[in-house]
Amino acid sequence: MNWDGFRRFVLVSTLILPALLTAQLIPIREAIEDLDNDGKPDRRGQTVTVTGIVTAPDSIFDIRYTDIYIQDSSAGVNVFSFTFQNADLGDSVLVTGRVDLYRGKTEISNATITLLGTNRPLPEPRLLTCAQMNKEEYEGELVRISGVRIGAVFLQGNSNYVLEDSTGTTQVRIDAETEIPGFVCYPDTFTIIGIKSQYTSDTTQLLTGYQLLPRFRTDFSKDALSIPLRTIAETQRPGPDGVTPELLNTWVRVQGRITGPARIFTSGSSPSLYIQDQTQGINIYNCTSPAEQTRFL
Ligand SMILES: [Ca+2]
Ligand SMILES: [Ca+2]
């Protein structure tokens, strides 16, 4: 090796070797593991490198900093950095950072994110119950709870609500920076998807304060097929007083042709339109899907 070759060797070694040495790729489960069950990740303070699919992208939990969640086949984890870095839903990323603990939530902080690919399929949300939500297990993962009720219908930002199913209760946190504030949720049971996260108000109690973080309005869903299709006449049949519908405050599913489109009957911001089937017509109020509402038949 001549002098130039040696200098190039030294230069390449200096640049590449440290990156290789720090890039000991480990599964997320290993990065966050807590074998002594004290609520603190055993690798706290260590620098780790993991890969994963972005399950909660940038700008939905924090518009100033990087506050995302990633998941590999072993586990999920929060990735945080005071530097804003782009991460879209479904991105495959390489993350190097320090294993850290914030209010009971394990995170990879001071993280550097490298994009490896885009539009990867998201992991199937893990089906949990409210009782299972209140444990350390599966923290950082994308999860789903079915058959839940929520303690309020009009959802506001920076607010916590109680979720309840047949196994107990847990907490859902509506982050103000998501699109969710203002969403009118279901008054009866529904399915919710979100990140299983944690924020304990008492840092001496590291195994409390578990909360679900929905990301989008579409994380709240009603299984429409579980609601029987009814005729419009049946839907608005009056009860004993001859005026109040028997089905008042019940979720119903009807179908009909639009006879009065929303662009005629809407005043203010809540769309209003009329539909009709073979039996009767009915007013549809405060509906979604604006393109459909405005169509004339
Ligand atoms: Ca530990
Ligand atoms: Ca935790």
Side-chain angles (χ1 to χ4, degrees):
M1 190 183 295
N2 61 26
W3 175 241
D4 268 357
F6 178 71
R7 283 207 310 189
R8 192 170 298 129
F9 170 76
V10 170
L11 184 66
V12 168
S13 307
T14 311
L15 289 175
I16 305 295
L17 272 179
L20 285 176
L21 288 173
T22 54
Q24 289 286 342
L25 197 61
I26 58 173
I28 293 175
R29 181 181 47 75
E30 272 182 43
I32 65 172
E33 73 187 355
D34 175 24
L35 297 178
D36 56 2
N37 295 313
D38 64 353
K40 302 172 187 170
D42 303 341
R43 287 186 170 76
R44 190 177 181 189
Q46 292 181 21
T47 296
V48 294
T49 298
V50 297
T51 62
I53 307 294
V54 174
T55 54
D58 70 64
S59 303
I60 63 163
F61 295 140
D62 202 316
I63 54 171
R64 298 163 301 167
Y65 307 135
T66 302
D67 186 2
I68 65 168
Y69 287 79
I70 65 167
Q71 190 166 328
D72 67 8
S73 58
S74 71
V77 70
N78 179 227
V79 174
F80 185 83
S81 159
F82 284 110
T83 310
F84 185 87
Q85 296 166 78
N86 284 111
D88 291 335
L89 198 65
D91 278 357
S92 169
V93 292
L94 179 80
V95 170
T96 296
R98 193 180 62 222
V99 180
D100 216 334
L101 186 67
Y102 177 72
R103 295 277 176 178
K105 176 189 66 179
T106 295
E107 60 184 27
I108 297 180
S109 70
N110 283 24
T112 304
I113 299 172
T114 307
L115 184 66
L116 302 177
T118 59
N119 292 316
R120 299 291 167 81
L122 296 186
E124 182 68 19
R126 182 187 293 276
L127 186 63
L128 292 186
T129 63
C130 286
Q132 288 173 312
M133 268 294 299
N134 301 324
K135 296 174 181 172
E136 187 71 11
E137 210 172 10
Y138 309 127
E139 184 187 306
E141 276 195 33
L142 188 63
V143 304
R144 175 167 57 100
I145 316 174
S146 288
V148 285
R149 292 173 183 271
I150 194 164
V153 172
F154 183 76
L155 304 184
Q156 301 181 59
N158 280 344
S159 303
N160 298 342
Y161 299 98
V162 173
L163 278 184
E164 182 174 13
D165 69 4
S166 58
T167 68
T169 63
T170 191
Q171 198 176 68
V172 60
R173 167 82 177 172
I174 306 301
D175 192 294
E177 284 152 323
T178 63
E179 61 175 19
I180 300 167
F183 178 63
V184 179
C185 196
Y186 309 101
D188 58 356
T189 59
F190 60 98
T191 293
I192 187 168
I193 292 174
I195 302 290
K196 182 182 188 303
S197 190
Q198 189 180 6
Y199 182 93
T200 179
S201 51
D202 179 352
T203 50
T204 65
Q205 301 292 320
L206 291 176
L207 299 175
T208 62
Y210 297 100
Q211 53 181 212
L212 187 70
L213 302 179
R215 309 155 299 167
F216 316 107
R217 292 187 177 198
T218 49
D219 280 340
F220 297 77
S221 65
K222 190 84 193 160
D223 184 2
L225 295 177
S226 70
I227 306 175
L229 186 67
R230 298 176 190 270
T231 65
I232 292 176
E234 188 188 354
T235 297
Q236 57 190 357
R237 185 166 52 218
D241 67 0
V243 179
T244 312
E246 278 177 344
L247 296 175
L248 187 72
N249 293 327
T250 307
W251 282 91
V252 294
R253 193 161 62 101
V254 294
Q255 63 183 16
R257 287 175 174 241
I258 296 173
T259 52
R263 65 184 175 83
I264 294 178
F265 292 109
T266 299
S267 62
S269 59
S270 298
S272 178
L273 72 155
Y274 288 81
I275 67 167
Q276 189 163 328
D277 67 6
Q278 314 89 302
T279 64
Q280 271 179 15
I282 194 169
N283 176 231
I284 308 293
Y285 181 68
N286 205 10
C287 44
T288 53
S289 194
E292 288 300 307
Q293 296 153 19
T294 53
R295 224 178 55 201
F296 253 129
L297 290 176

